[in-house]
Amino acid sequence: MLSVDIEQIKKYNVPGPRYTSYPAANHFKPGFSEQTVTDRLTADYAAERDLSLYFHIPFCQSLCWYCGCNTVITKNQGRSETYIGYLAKELELVSKVLNPRRKVTQLHFGGGTPTFLQPDEIRTLGDLVRARFEFAADIEASVEIDPRRLTRDHLSALRDIGMNRVSIGVQDFDPKVQAAVNRVQPFEQTREVIDWIRAAGFQSLSIDLIYGLPFQTEDSFRKTLKLTLSLNPDRLAVFSYAHVPWIKPSQRLLKDETMPSAEMKFAILKLGVETLTRGGYTYIGMDHFAKKGNELEIAQREGKLQRNFQGYSTSAGTDIQSFGVSSISQTPDMYWQNEKDLKRYYAQLDEDLLPIANGYVLSAEDKIRRQVIMRLMCDMSLDFETMSKALGFDFAEHFKSELRAIETLEADGLVRSSANGFDVTDLGRLLIRNVAMCFDEYLGAKADPNRKVVYSRTI
């Protein structure tokens, strides 16, 4: 049984990135030129790297008070029809500079609530995407759904356009917690929708939970975990609630006195890891769990696991091309993000411009550190000889100051040194963000004292 010292928790409960990218998205620079992106995509036109497509559907009928996503709260169903029209414009502009021979190996609809779209609108969007891109035969096509306002026709429409994976937001099954975050979703409703999903023939089901919400305790979350296991998902994501009220003012509606302490939050995470691993799931890392034999588990075992803006992924060497308000795209050299404001997103498309708000061109050192942090967060270890061969220089010499910081983590039990590297311990897996932060140049040598970059806390 993992023993954790409370003082240690306090020591490591610091702000830090989640490393869905490196550098983190808050380092993206405003005023990033549309020309920069089109020039890069044009230069890349002959590239035949696989593509991962992401579509952000921002609309929700009600606001979940914990939510940190880019959302538009509305009950006006007509807004989704307008939005699809603008997605069509964006698809047209992007298709002019993307190699049409590139295979799409991943497709994801996120939000917001993608199933805010009516079934016929889902089919329309699917037709628009298939008209522009060629899908791989074994494509992973996933969609996030909200069971509270879902019909069986939604699921039929999703299957019609080739969706084969579903992610369901649950967060917590405790009615008191649900009421406190303005998301009432009875277990029976979720179970019924999962029955529909399986009857519709989807290949994979993932369930999302959140720890760190109001009124959560070890006992209450133990009950949520038991109910979740009874639903037998293929994957689980157990996210840490990120309290960022300076970015999402609605989070101020959550009362401080109802929030679990950092110590309780860590205890709930520890409970989740122990319960799910005993229940037959492999702890992939940070916030993801998968059944043994699942693609994620196999990818990690074979050293092929990746991490990107959608979390852990099996697809290596893919570019991410994203569409919709606030969505983020990625090539080997660059990130760029669309406008976060819906009116500005529409306005740029009305001018036949890609709706880009900011972005980042990676330096050679950024690419090195991105690869190191990627392997650390995916493999839960670093082998210096392997990394030296991959990077083309002596890893231990290049990162000698960072490895001195790793020595401190070893003294605290987060890592264990080996003859030619180190492994992350069970405790370190729970604090993997802190381990990765040792290799983040923007938290160390390149930290700008005049630039305030604020992250959620690691616990």
Side-chain angles (χ1 to χ4, degrees), residues 46 69 77 142-143 157 188-189 212 278 315 331 348-349 396 408 423 425 452:
C69 300
Q77 198 64 54
S142 60
V143 59
E188 293 74 18
Q189 183 180 46
R278 281 198 305 267
S315 289
T331 66
Q348 284 197 235
L349 287 168
T408 301
D423 298 310
T425 64
K452 188 176 181 181

Side-chain angles (χ1 to χ4, degrees), residues 210-419:
I210 294 179
Y211 65 97
L213 296 177
F215 299 111
Q216 283 182 333
T217 65
E218 286 183 85
D219 285 342
S220 74
F221 206 68
R222 185 177 288 108
K223 294 172 184 175
T224 285
L225 290 167
K226 183 178 180 181
L227 290 170
T228 302
L229 285 171
S230 74
L231 299 172
N232 194 30
D234 301 285
R235 300 179 185 177
L236 289 115
V238 185
F239 296 112
S240 170
Y241 165 63
H243 191 59
V244 287
W246 56 89
I247 298 173
K248 303 298 291 187
S250 59
Q251 292 184 347
R252 297 193 180 102
L253 294 167
L254 305 181
K255 301 184 184 305
D256 290 343
E257 61 271 19
T258 69
M259 304 297 287
S261 65
E263 295 85 350
M264 176 57 71
K265 222 181 146 181
F266 193 88
I268 292 171
L269 170 60
K270 179 171 173 284
L271 170 70
V273 172
E274 292 169 351
T275 302
L276 294 174
T277 52
R278 281 198 305 267
Y281 292 84
T282 296
Y283 183 27
I284 300 299
M286 193 165 161
D287 42 31
H288 280 52
F289 298 80
K291 283 184 176 179
K292 288 183 172 60
N294 183 272
E295 298 93 335
L296 275 185
E297 189 268 338
I298 293 170
Q300 184 176 57
R301 187 162 16 101
E302 295 180 349
K304 298 176 181 177
L305 192 65
Q306 303 292 306
R307 186 165 172 79
N308 58 33
F309 293 106
Q310 279 81 59
Y312 285 100
S313 167
T314 60
S315 289
T318 59
D319 290 357
I320 300 172
Q321 182 64 55
S322 297
F323 300 86
V325 64
S326 80
S327 64
I328 302 176
S329 299
Q330 174 182 342
T331 66
D333 301 316
M334 191 166 62
Y335 305 109
W336 65 94
Q337 183 172 31
N338 280 353
E339 288 285 357
K340 295 181 180 181
D341 178 80
L342 194 60
K343 287 183 180 178
R344 289 200 297 270
Y345 171 78
Y346 287 166
Q348 284 197 235
L349 287 168
D350 282 337
E351 296 293 325
D352 289 328
L353 296 172
L354 289 174
I356 295 161
N358 54 48
Y360 189 91
V361 177
L362 282 85
S363 68
E365 185 66 21
D366 289 334
K367 293 176 187 178
I368 290 167
R369 290 175 182 267
R370 177 173 64 182
Q371 187 170 348
V372 172
I373 290 172
M374 169 85 73
R375 296 285 26 107
L376 178 57
M377 296 200 73
C378 292
D379 302 338
M380 299 295 152
S381 66
L382 282 179
D383 181 86
F384 298 164
E385 185 177 348
T386 300
M387 293 305 300
S388 294
K389 288 179 180 177
L391 298 171
F393 53 74
D394 188 317
F395 179 88
E397 177 62 26
H398 188 85
F399 289 106
K400 58 186 176 184
S401 61
E402 287 81 0
L403 293 177
R404 283 195 290 271
I406 291 293
E407 290 175 6
T408 301
L409 301 190
E410 183 170 25
D412 287 342
L414 276 66
V415 302
R416 184 183 303 108
S417 291
S418 59

Side-chain angles (χ1 to χ4, degrees), residues 55 57-59 61 74-88 91 109 113-130 143 149 151 153-161 163 346:
F55 288 80
I57 313 298
F59 305 108
Q61 289 194 7
T74 181
K75 293 187 183 297
N76 179 0
Q77 198 64 54
R79 297 188 72 175
S80 55
E81 182 180 1
T82 300
Y83 189 72
I84 289 173
Y86 279 94
L87 286 177
L91 279 161
F109 288 2
T113 307
T115 47
F116 181 94
L117 302 181
Q118 293 297 294
D120 284 347
E121 292 174 333
I122 290 171
R123 294 182 177 97
T124 296
L125 180 54
D127 290 343
L128 287 169
V129 178
R130 283 191 174 275
V143 59
R149 299 177 182 90
T151 67
D153 196 19
H154 280 99
L155 295 174
S156 295
L158 291 167
R159 291 293 290 131
D160 288 346
I161 68 169
M163 290 293 180
Y346 287 166

